[in-house]
């Protein structure tokens, strides 16, 4: 169980799964869409997700070959718990920040 939680709790895994939950992406699209991730780390993350059955990698016979990544049904099933966790984080961010003594700017109502 620990290795599964380590995989799905990794910060890059969460971001990649959320992006692929929107639609399939090519490698460079993912790399541009995720700030601060290196190519090496994105490659490692995608390989791990593919190995775990969460992501499907498809190579197209173009010149040069293009590769597209998409969530498998198992990967898509991870979106609901990730969404619930994100909602929890948004709801409780001010309380957690207050406990840490950090000033979080609240969005203004317009």
């Amino acid at each position: 169980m620990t290795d599964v939680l380590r995989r799905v709790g990794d910060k890059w895994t969460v971001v990649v799964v959320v992006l692929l939950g929107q639609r399939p992406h090519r490698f460079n699209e993912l790399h541009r869409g995720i700030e601060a991730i290196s190519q090496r780390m994105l490659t490692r993350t995608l390989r791990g997700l593919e190995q775990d059955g969460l992501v499907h990698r498809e190579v197209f016979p173009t010149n040069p070959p293009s590769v597209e990544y998409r969530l498998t049904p198992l990967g898509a099933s991870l979106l609901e718990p990730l969404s619930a966790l994100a909602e929890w984080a948004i709801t409780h961010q001010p309380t957690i920040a207050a406990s840490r003594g950090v000033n979080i700017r609240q969005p203004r109502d317009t």
Side-chain angles (χ1 to χ4, degrees), residues 9-98:
D10 176 71
K11 76 175 183 177
W12 299 124
T13 293
V14 171
V15 175
V16 169
V17 168
V18 168
L19 280 175
L20 292 178
Q22 297 169 357
R23 63 176 175 80
H25 284 75
R26 294 191 176 171
F27 183 89
N28 285 330
E29 289 179 300
L30 287 170
H31 192 241
R32 283 190 303 269
I34 303 172
E35 289 185 33
I37 191 170
S38 67
Q39 285 188 338
R40 181 174 182 264
M41 184 53 69
L42 180 56
T43 298
R44 289 180 66 189
T45 301
L46 288 166
R47 283 183 184 158
L49 290 169
E50 184 181 11
Q51 182 181 13
D52 291 346
L54 300 171
V55 167
H56 174 73
R57 177 181 184 265
E58 186 173 357
V59 179
F60 294 95
T62 58
N63 192 9
S66 58
V67 179
E68 186 175 83
Y69 297 90
R70 71 178 68 241
L71 291 180
T72 63
L74 180 62
S77 72
L78 186 55
L79 290 170
E80 187 175 340
L82 285 180
S83 294
L85 182 59
E87 286 294 321
W88 181 89
I90 289 167
T91 300
H92 294 88
Q93 181 182 18
T95 304
I96 293 168

